[in-house]
Amino acid sequence: MKKVIGVTGGVGAGKSTVLLYLKEKYGAQIIECDEIGRRLEEPGGKCHEMLLKLFSGADGRNRTAFLKENGSLDRQKIACMIFRDEKLRKSLENLVHPAVMEEVKRLLSEAEKNTAVPFSVVESAILIESGYEPLCSEIWFVRTEEAQRRRRLKDSRGYSDAKIDGILAAQKPDSFYCSHAQFIVDNSSDNVNNTFEQIDKRIAGI
């Protein structure tokens, strides 16, 4: 069986930097759960019609209220709704998460047969909470000091302090991820080579 590395960490920790390096240097198969979820929610995707019914109601009367002009779901409106309604958020998760999990398993199965893929990487900010741990050979936690995360979120995404406060408050503490991780990538340094050196040492040992 090929190795499957689970990568997790909070928003602004720099998971994308780690994924890109693993792909470009080692040729790893990168599976991003959020990206799969977005694809499944697009028109024609497995979750699109189910989510539209969930948010527009049984009679479908509000159907167009949750669609953009191109037919895709208005994710901003949906985000506002689930932020205010915990039951609705759970219903969304119950529809999307199993479909994403199914697709992740399919991609891992394909990679197992592909000799060009040395190992796979499954990434999600909620990797552990969503039940991906059993699929992974080991879990990596990308850890970054809070001050650095805040600066990155302001610089790269233009987030306000209030928005960042809300994001950080909603996420698990570092201690939660550390308790599940077999490897911690410290991505706090502005010198990205420090991060790459940690990764190289870990890959050499597995």
Side-chain angles (χ1 to χ4, degrees):
M1 294 286 288
K2 292 181 180 178
K3 290 281 186 180
V4 178
I5 298 172
V7 172
T8 192
V11 175
K15 297 188 296 297
S16 295
T17 298
V18 172
L19 298 180
L20 185 61
Y21 187 67
L22 290 171
K23 179 180 179 179
E24 292 189 344
K25 177 162 184 178
Y26 295 99
Q29 176 199 42
I30 306 299
I31 302 173
E32 297 179 74
C33 294
D34 277 355
E35 188 278 328
I36 291 175
R38 284 192 291 270
R39 178 157 48 84
L40 293 177
E41 292 169 13
E42 288 299 307
K46 186 173 183 178
C47 297
H48 180 79
E49 192 63 29
M50 292 188 293
L51 290 178
L52 196 52
K53 288 179 180 178
L54 174 66
F55 289 100
S56 63
D59 59 5
R61 191 173 299 170
N62 299 321
R63 185 180 180 91
T64 56
F66 297 96
L67 288 176
K68 294 183 177 180
E69 289 184 3
N70 63 1
S72 64
L73 293 168
D74 191 322
R75 296 174 67 87
Q76 189 170 358
K77 285 185 178 180
I78 288 175
C80 289
M81 284 194 69
I82 64 175
F83 180 77
R84 299 191 303 265
D85 190 330
E86 177 70 11
K87 184 178 179 181
L88 194 61
R89 182 181 68 81
K90 287 291 186 183
S91 295
L92 180 146
E93 291 175 354
N94 290 337
L95 287 174
V96 175
H97 286 183
V100 173
M101 175 74 80
E102 183 181 343
E103 179 65 4
V104 170
K105 288 180 178 179
R106 186 186 70 79
L107 292 171
L108 290 176
S109 178
E110 285 186 355
E112 189 67 32
K113 306 167 190 173
N114 188 348
T115 56
V117 176
F119 60 90
S120 297
V121 178
V122 179
E123 181 275 327
S124 174
I126 53 172
L127 186 90
I128 297 160
E129 303 94 310
S130 298
Y132 287 94
E133 203 167 1
L135 299 182
C136 302
S137 309
E138 61 180 56
I139 304 294
W140 290 13
F141 169 44
V142 182
R143 182 185 178 279
T144 301
E145 295 293 340
E146 184 177 317
Q148 182 72 302
R149 289 174 65 189
R150 286 180 175 274
R151 183 175 66 79
R152 289 174 182 171
L153 289 171
K154 286 182 180 180
D155 293 346
S156 65
R157 306 191 190 187
Y159 286 178
S160 65
D161 285 323
K163 183 166 185 175
I164 294 171
D165 287 342
I167 291 171
L168 296 183
Q171 294 187 339
K172 299 284 188 183
D174 285 0
S175 58
F176 169 81
Y177 299 107
C178 289
S179 68
H180 289 268
Q182 286 74 52
F183 178 53
I184 298 172
V185 184
D186 188 341
N187 193 39
S188 299
S189 175
D190 286 328
N191 182 357
V192 73
N193 286 322
N194 290 339
T195 299
F196 295 160
E197 288 174 5
Q198 295 172 61
I199 293 171
D200 290 339
K201 288 179 181 178
R202 185 65 180 186
I203 292 296
I206 62 175

